[in-house]
Amino acid sequence: MRTLILKSASSYLLPVLLLFSVFILLRGHYLPGGGFVGGLVAAIAFVLDAFSNGLDKTKVVLKVHPGFLMPLGLLIAFLSGITPILFSDLPLMTGLWADDPIPVIGALGSALFFDLGVYLVVIGASLTIIFTISESA
Amino acid sequence: MEIILAIITGVLYASGIYMILRRSMVKLILGIILLGNGVNLLIFLLGRITKGEPPIIDSTEKVLQGVYADPIPQALILTAIVISFGLQAFAIILVKRTYKVLKTDDLDQLNTTDEDS
Amino acid sequence: MLAAVLLGFLFSLFLVFSGTYFRGKLAVLSSLIPLSLFVYFLSYLPEVSNGEVIYQSYEWIPSFGVNLSFTLDGLALLFALMITGVGSLVFLYTSAYLKDHKYLDRFYGYLSLFMAAMLGLVLSDNLMSMFIFWELTSISSFYLIGFNNDKADSRKSALVALGITGIGGLLLLGGAVLLGDVAGTYRISEMLSSREAIADSSSYLLILLLIFGAAFTKSAQFPFHFWLPGAMKAPTPVSTYLHSATMVKAGIYLLFRMTPVLNGGDIWHTILIIVGAVTMLYSAIHIIFRTDLKGILAYSTISALGILVFLIGIGTQAALVAAAVFIVVHALYKASLFLITGIIDHETGTRDITQLAGLRKVLMPVAIAGFIAALISGGVPPTLGFVGKDLIYEATLHYGGSAVLLTVLAILTKILLFYGGFLAGVKPFMGKLPEKYSKLHLPSPLMWVPPLLMTIAGIVFGIFPGLIETAIAKPIAMTQVIDYESFHLKLWHGFNTVLGLSAITITLGLVLYFALKPKHSLETAIAKLDVIAPKTLLLQLSTGFEKFSTLWTNFFQTGYLRHYLSTIVAFLIVLLGFLLFSDFSLNIDFNTLTELTIYELSILTMLLIGVLYTVFTKSRLAAVAALGVVGLSFSLLFLFYSAPDLAMTQFSVDTLTVILFVLVLYKLPKYLNLSDTKIRIKHGVLSISFGVLITLLILRVLGEPKNAEVSEYYAENAYKLAHGKNIVNVILVDFRGIDTMIEISVLIVAALGVFGLLKLRLKTRDKK
């Protein structure tokens, strides 16, 4: 599937799609979107890149094996869950929120970090599945 | 509309179960996917359907008011979709592996555990 | 007391690690354990004989009312002394009997495990902990009966014994739970106060039957008696300890313990008297037909247990005192006779009574012990056996209208038991010594001193019955009898009816001994009746049950996925269909339904075509493509019906799924067309009816009002509490965050599974 059009387009598509996925992730708390969808979109972006440029090049872009994103994401989600216990003596998974909203992102809170964890896990799991299969197929 | 959706859910269930009952492993996976879709639709339908009113609070409001779609089935289905993706991937690879090792696609050939893989 | 119970457990645990040291000469030291326990319990004797009850409790599972509470009253003390006393002698005897046996340490381990469990059983005041110790005795006896585990016989007997006593254990559990429910406590001492409530409750009969079932299986009552003769496959010390002196008396102990709680109704007395009488006479008659010494002893033990059940059934103070004394009598003579049989077996290599004679010339001290044991068993004065026998007749003679019948039954049994005792204790030593045994010599004193000690004790207690009276009989009567009256045990009662009956018993017993000679022909003659023996019937029942379960399993567990699935689906169709149609009402308000527009109609048509195409196409690629269409239609459907998040997710996942399929499709097998039309139609009907059922179910649910409480809570608080406006996302990351966390963990597991299936396997193949 190495067509010229796809190949030249994909070098622009990857950063744009990744940016789009982050956008979906961030707006998830207010508008449709969130970690699950964002992660899937990012995974599709990488898969598209792998189709056009070859899996090896995509792996170079990724630098780490996508499998490492799974524990990392789980760790972030877990930390955001126990932060209220550690710092504020509140029950598990209580949302903590910064007082002033930040431009672009909106209100900053522990739920956002939890969503970030979900995002990373979804990317990691989908890419691990697809990359493993295409490597051994 | 609801009645038609209910019938379609029934069709999804029936076709899913029919496919799972086949002896071919590929059909088994297709059946599982169809059945999964049927379950999603069932949950969605039982939360009642609402047109054009997503459960999102208006930017000027603080509380969701008026008519809105039930957010709980949506949250359930959302995770179900993502997880069934993982399940499908695993099932496909399992079938592929089995086929490679046992050289058969017939589920009836798999009913002994003594097979040396 | 906890320490006393735990000591045996600890010792057996200790033997696991240091067993090798106890196989040789040190083995004899292990008898210090029961001996020290015997002394420990003996020290409580003064207090208990004053009627004091010592109580200790340790919390275990207080929330269920299950505690380790121990009481030491007269009854418990009698059993504790018997367990540790006979235990000490058996431990001593074993060190010589199984000298240099390869697994001697193992044997001691099982034996002390059993002793500890038995102590726990008799000391428990809590029915639940009693049940646990009860089961532990069954389990340890399983190991002891099957100690010669290289013999098929032993293994089978062990299994039968475990099966019967195990069923009994379950019955006990059932009885205990019911009793605890009715009485509101598991403590036996507290149940006494609610004995009227128990007797009046509707489950009284059931409780009674369950407790009886437990006691009858454990104490080998008819028709569960057959495991006991089989259990004689065990080494002789085991037969002595478990199957005559202690474990088989656990059922008797249970009945004794429950007497004050449960003996409210007539049914208690009737059942116990009938079962006891049948057992005692049935197995006493069996003695005549046996030639194996252990077989004789086994049947006379069952008969003695029958007498005990019979006496407890009579339930008057005199009967209970008689039972308590008879427990001591029986332990003394039966244990001695078993040990003597063990010596004979050990020295001559046979237990066949027709082969044995004149052994007194070579085994004099053993012969003395055997003779005294036979006297005790026959109830000849001045032994304790005489006191015991008199008490039994006393009890039967004063039992209302059926006194004569009961007395006659008791006398018949006693005559046969007299015969059995003389057969085992006297016959091998009388007459002319066969040539082949002339070179025998006396074994180690460790073997012949224990039986001699026990028989001498039988004479001492006989001459001074006051010892037994203050130590055992009175404390037991005080705690077990509701209207206690003082009494005295005497060897000599003067000339009265009881003395006459005793004389008749002894005379007829002697006549029987001289007139009847054990013959093999008799044994084979009775073997013909085995067809209708309870043993055969129960075994047939169990094989029948096994066959039935094999059929059942083969019917359902075929190993074919489609069979399992069609069974489940068919079951669901029947169950759900029944529920739906038994109460079906379709009350959908058609005005509230959403309007159908052309957009939706086209999507649904697309969806339907996709589904049907997936099912009916013959090409894999077409099926996958059709599935993609199904997914996209779903995505559009979600978009129409106010679920943008779902639409986005469905769309992305659909994309990835199709990529996944495309990647592996050519590695996947081609479609097979395996099933014939008949099966297809069958499956088609099954799945379509399930689909119809689901549709009806949905329509039914849509007719009911919807509970939106939780959704409203989320809608109201999403922004207030979680600062989010997309409620679906707020539910996922905040309200139900822990669920989401588990869900992403599942996703990780699936990904790791895929990775492992493909990558790890390749590496092992590379190694090859």
Side-chain angles (χ1 to χ4, degrees):
Chain A
M1 284 224 289
R2 301 207 171 165
T3 66
L4 192 61
I5 299 172
L6 185 61
K7 201 173 172 184
S8 29
S10 72
S11 42
Y12 301 102
L13 269 180
L14 179 64
V16 173
L17 276 174
L18 282 181
L19 195 66
F20 179 60
S21 78
V22 174
F23 167 71
I24 289 178
L25 163 72
L26 292 181
R27 70 178 223 145
H29 224 57
Y30 295 95
L31 292 162
F36 280 107
V37 189
L40 287 168
V41 169
I44 291 173
F46 281 112
V47 171
L48 189 65
D49 189 64
F51 271 179
S52 50
N53 295 331
L55 190 57
D56 298 330
K57 289 207 177 132
T58 315
K59 280 196 165 172
V60 173
V61 174
L62 261 173
K63 292 208 173 56
V64 289
H65 189 282
F68 289 106
L69 292 177
M70 300 189 294
L72 179 70
L74 201 58
L75 185 73
I76 291 174
F78 181 68
L79 284 179
S80 83
I82 63 164
T83 312
I85 299 182
L86 294 181
F87 296 107
S88 310
D89 205 18
L90 288 164
L92 188 67
M93 295 292 309
T94 311
L96 294 178
W97 293 90
D99 295 334
D100 300 316
I102 297 167
V104 186
I105 298 177
L108 185 67
S110 61
L112 187 64
F113 287 96
F114 187 84
D115 225 7
L116 180 66
V118 174
Y119 174 79
L120 290 176
V121 169
V122 172
I123 297 179
S126 323
L127 287 186
T128 307
I129 292 170
I130 301 243
F131 282 8
T132 316
I133 291 172
S134 56
E135 269 170 18
S136 57
Chain B
M1 185 66 204
E2 277 90 344
I3 295 173
I4 296 177
L5 280 179
I7 293 169
I8 291 211
T9 316
V11 171
L12 280 167
Y13 265 87
S15 49
I17 285 174
Y18 181 76
M19 290 295 264
I20 294 175
L21 286 172
R22 300 298 91 216
R23 275 162 79 176
S24 160
M25 287 195 271
V26 182
K27 286 189 182 174
L28 170 71
I29 294 175
L30 295 177
I32 292 173
I33 296 173
L34 284 177
L35 194 64
N37 278 329
V39 175
N40 284 350
L41 192 54
L42 175 76
I43 299 174
F44 192 65
L45 201 48
L46 294 189
R48 305 297 189 278
I49 50 173
T50 315
K51 232 186 214 173
E53 296 288 344
I56 290 168
I57 302 172
D58 212 59
S59 55
T60 50
E61 302 282 337
K62 291 201 168 178
V63 176
L64 193 55
Q65 277 162 346
V67 184
Y68 56 89
D70 194 341
I72 297 174
Q74 295 195 18
L76 289 175
I77 298 170
L78 201 146
T79 45
I81 293 172
V82 177
I83 288 207
S84 60
F85 171 66
L87 176 78
Q88 285 159 25
F90 188 77
I92 291 172
I93 298 310
L94 201 60
V95 166
K96 193 188 154 212
R97 242 355 277 177
T98 319
Y99 181 60
K100 214 169 188 175
V101 173
L102 296 176
K103 303 276 182 295
T104 175
D105 179 33
D106 185 357
L107 280 170
D108 285 12
Q109 306 286 322
L110 300 181
N111 57 359
T112 50
T113 49
D114 303 331
E115 210 76 46
D116 186 25
S117 51
Chain C
M1 254 187 280
L2 185 65
V5 173
L6 286 182
L7 188 62
F9 289 124
L10 293 177
F11 182 63
S12 59
L13 197 67
F14 167 73
L15 279 181
V16 172
F17 300 108
S18 57
T20 37
Y21 305 107
F22 279 84
R23 270 177 214 160
K25 291 198 169 133
L26 282 177
V28 72
L29 286 182
S30 53
S31 55
L32 286 176
I33 305 279
L35 198 64
S36 54
L37 288 175
F38 182 69
V39 173
Y40 169 78
F41 283 113
L42 213 55
S43 71
Y44 281 108
L45 195 59
E47 292 171 58
V48 173
S49 54
N50 286 336
E52 276 179 49
V53 175
I54 294 140
Y55 179 75
Q56 280 171 18
S57 182
Y58 307 89
E59 285 212 338
W60 187 13
I61 319 172
S63 50
F64 287 155
V66 177
N67 294 316
L68 283 175
S69 32
F70 298 115
T71 30
L72 193 63
D73 57 5
L75 187 62
L77 187 64
L78 163 68
F79 275 87
L81 286 176
M82 213 162 69
I83 292 159
T84 52
V86 178
S88 317
L89 297 176
V90 167
F91 271 59
L92 273 177
Y93 180 88
T94 306
S95 68
Y97 184 82
L98 287 179
K99 196 172 181 190
D100 301 325
H101 192 285
K102 200 166 43 162
Y103 295 128
L104 184 57
D105 54 327
R106 217 180 265 186
F107 189 78
Y108 273 119
Y110 298 147
L111 216 54
S112 54
L113 188 70
F114 166 77
M115 183 185 70
M118 196 67 206
L119 275 179
L121 166 59
V122 299
L123 293 175
S124 286
D125 187 35
N126 189 299
L127 265 179
M128 279 297 154
S129 60
M130 188 182 194
F131 161 74
I132 289 161
F133 288 118
W134 179 284
E135 290 290 67
L136 276 176
T137 63
S138 297
I139 291 165
S140 50
S141 92
F142 168 74
Y143 288 116
L144 285 167
I145 297 171
F147 184 65
N148 293 320
N149 52 18
D150 46 355
K151 294 203 180 86
D153 268 19
S154 299
R155 295 199 299 268
K156 198 180 166 215
S157 303
L159 216 54
V160 170
L162 184 70
I164 297 287
T165 51
I167 290 170
L170 291 181
L171 296 179
L172 177 63
L173 180 64
V177 170
L178 272 180
L179 202 53
D181 192 40
V182 174
T185 171
Y186 285 124
R187 280 195 51 189
I188 300 166
S189 45
E190 284 172 2
M191 282 175 190
L192 289 179
S193 53
S194 46
R195 64 186 293 261
E196 264 114 41
I198 294 169
D200 291 339
S201 88
S202 54
S203 42
Y204 174 70
L205 187 65
L206 191 58
I207 292 172
L208 217 57
L209 292 179
L210 288 170
I211 297 282
F212 283 169
F216 293 167
T217 48
K218 197 81 164 179
S219 288
Q221 295 300 296
F222 188 87
F224 307 110
H225 63 281
F226 56 84
W227 70 265
L228 190 56
M232 294 298 160
K233 300 280 184 311
T236 303
V238 178
S239 313
T240 314
Y241 193 32
L242 273 68
H243 305 127
S244 75
T246 55
M247 190 181 89
V248 291
K249 299 232 174 78
I252 305 296
Y253 170 81
L254 180 68
L255 292 178
F256 236 122
R257 200 31 107 204
M258 285 294 135
T259 295
V261 183
L262 290 177
N263 76 345
D266 280 339
I267 187 106
W268 163 274
H269 301 286
T270 321
I271 294 181
L272 285 183
I273 289 177
I274 291 173
V275 171
V278 169
T279 308
M280 72 187 187
L281 211 57
Y282 171 86
S283 41
I285 293 170
H286 258 281
I287 296 172
I288 301 176
F289 301 97
R290 302 290 140 189
T291 54
D292 179 4
L293 275 178
K294 266 193 166 180
I296 294 170
L297 291 177
Y299 278 101
S300 82
T301 304
I302 299 172
S303 179
L305 294 168
I307 295 179
L308 287 170
V309 171
F310 175 74
L311 287 173
I312 293 171
I314 291 175
T316 56
Q317 179 179 316
L320 290 178
V321 169
V325 174
F326 189 61
I327 288 172
V328 182
V329 173
H330 182 252
L332 289 176
Y333 83 77
K334 194 51 67 61
S336 319
L337 286 178
F338 265 113
L339 293 180
I340 290 162
T341 304
I343 296 172
I344 294 173
D345 192 13
H346 196 253
E347 299 303 312
T348 66
T350 180
R351 299 195 304 250
D352 189 341
I353 188 80
T354 57
Q355 306 278 312
L356 296 164
L359 289 175
R360 70 178 183 285
K361 292 189 181 123
V362 281
L363 304 170
M364 196 54 198
V366 185
I368 295 173
F371 184 65
I372 304 174
L375 290 183
I376 303 173
S377 135
V380 178
T383 61
L384 187 64
F386 180 70
V387 182
K389 180 159 54 66
D390 279 6
L391 286 168
I392 295 172
Y393 292 160
E394 198 83 57
T396 56
L397 276 176
H398 292 99
Y399 189 68
S402 36
V404 179
L405 177 69
L406 296 188
T407 314
V408 170
L409 288 176
I411 291 174
L412 279 178
T413 309
K414 271 303 197 178
I415 293 169
L416 288 163
L417 281 183
F418 181 100
Y419 168 70
F422 268 65
L423 217 52
V426 179
K427 174 106 196 335
F429 303 100
M430 305 306 282
K432 191 169 163 289
L433 186 71
E435 194 61 34
K436 55 180 171 179
Y437 298 142
S438 57
K439 296 228 172 69
L440 291 186
H441 47 81
L442 203 58
S444 142
L446 283 175
M447 284 177 75
W448 56 263
V449 168
L452 202 59
L453 268 179
M454 279 193 265
T455 47
I456 289 173
I459 296 189
V460 173
F461 290 144
I463 297 172
F464 306 104
L467 290 174
I468 293 288
E469 178 198 304
T470 47
I472 290 160
K474 275 194 175 164
I476 290 182
M478 273 187 256
T479 48
Q480 300 303 308
V481 180
I482 311 264
D483 327 298
Y484 168 73
E485 284 173 48
S486 191
F487 63 94
H488 284 290
L489 295 186
K490 276 182 248 155
L491 185 62
W492 181 249
H493 287 274
F495 293 97
N496 53 14
T497 336
V498 172
L499 188 71
L501 294 176
S502 267
I504 293 171
T505 312
I506 293 170
T507 328
L508 286 178
L510 277 173
V511 169
L512 202 61
Y513 173 64
F514 287 113
L516 263 182
K517 289 287 167 256
K519 282 185 216 118
H520 284 294
S521 54
L522 283 170
E523 197 165 4
T524 39
I526 193 131
K528 283 179 193 147
L529 288 179
D530 273 356
V531 193
I532 51 158
K535 179 183 185 173
T536 333
L537 296 180
L538 273 174
L539 285 182
Q540 272 168 0
L541 188 74
S542 97
T543 34
F545 193 73
E546 217 171 288
K547 273 184 196 153
F548 173 71
S549 46
T550 315
L551 279 178
W552 181 268
T553 311
N554 286 345
F555 182 69
F556 284 109
Q557 309 278 327
T558 50
Y560 295 107
L561 175 69
R562 59 172 190 280
H563 288 176
Y564 296 140
L565 199 73
S566 25
T567 311
I568 294 170
V569 169
F571 180 73
L572 272 177
I573 290 173
V574 171
L575 194 73
L576 276 178
F578 176 74
L579 272 178
L580 267 179
F581 287 109
S582 64
D583 170 35
F584 191 75
S585 57
L586 204 59
N587 47 355
I588 299 179
D589 184 0
F590 285 89
N591 296 323
T592 59
L593 294 184
T594 328
E595 205 182 333
L596 186 65
T597 62
I598 185 75
Y599 309 108
E600 290 140 18
L601 201 62
S602 46
I603 292 170
L604 291 180
T605 320
M606 200 160 88
L607 180 66
L608 208 55
I609 293 173
V611 172
L612 296 178
Y613 202 72
T614 314
V615 176
F616 291 110
T617 180
K618 295 230 177 342
S619 142
R620 293 168 305 168
L621 194 61
V624 171
L627 210 58
V629 171
V630 172
L632 285 177
S633 322
F634 257 99
S635 174
L636 286 173
L637 201 64
F638 287 141
L639 200 58
F640 269 115
Y641 287 105
S642 330
D645 290 284
L646 289 188
M648 288 160 83
T649 317
Q650 178 79 44
F651 182 77
S652 327
V653 164
D654 207 45
T655 315
L656 284 175
T657 312
V658 172
I659 290 173
L660 197 70
F661 262 112
V662 168
L663 279 176
V664 283
L665 193 68
Y666 290 101
K667 299 283 170 183
L668 284 177
K670 285 226 160 57
Y671 263 6
L672 292 169
N673 211 347
L674 290 167
S675 19
D676 54 32
T677 325
K678 211 176 137 192
I679 293 179
R680 282 164 174 251
I681 290 172
K682 192 181 131 197
H683 287 168
V685 168
L686 201 67
S687 13
I688 287 172
S689 27
F690 194 68
V692 169
L693 205 67
I694 291 288
T695 306
L696 290 177
L697 191 73
I698 295 170
L699 293 179
R700 176 77 203 275
V701 174
L702 288 178
E704 303 286 326
K706 185 190 138 195
N707 183 349
E709 211 176 306
V710 184
S711 309
E712 275 161 16
Y713 171 82
Y714 286 149
E716 215 159 274
N717 292 304
Y719 191 74
K720 283 188 203 153
L721 294 177
H723 297 252
K725 290 189 171 174
N726 176 1
I727 298 173
V728 176
N729 190 266
V730 169
I731 291 174
L732 286 176
V733 300
D734 201 310
F735 287 127
R736 309 295 312 167
I738 295 173
D739 294 352
T740 309
M741 188 115 120
I742 294 166
E743 277 151 8
I744 57 177
S745 312
V746 173
L747 199 62
I748 292 178
V749 171
L752 289 179
V754 169
F755 187 77
L757 268 176
L758 287 175
K759 293 274 170 162
L760 301 182
R761 195 56 78 94
L762 288 175
K763 266 184 193 162
T764 44
R765 195 199 284 155
D766 289 345
K767 274 182 202 161
K768 281 178 195 167

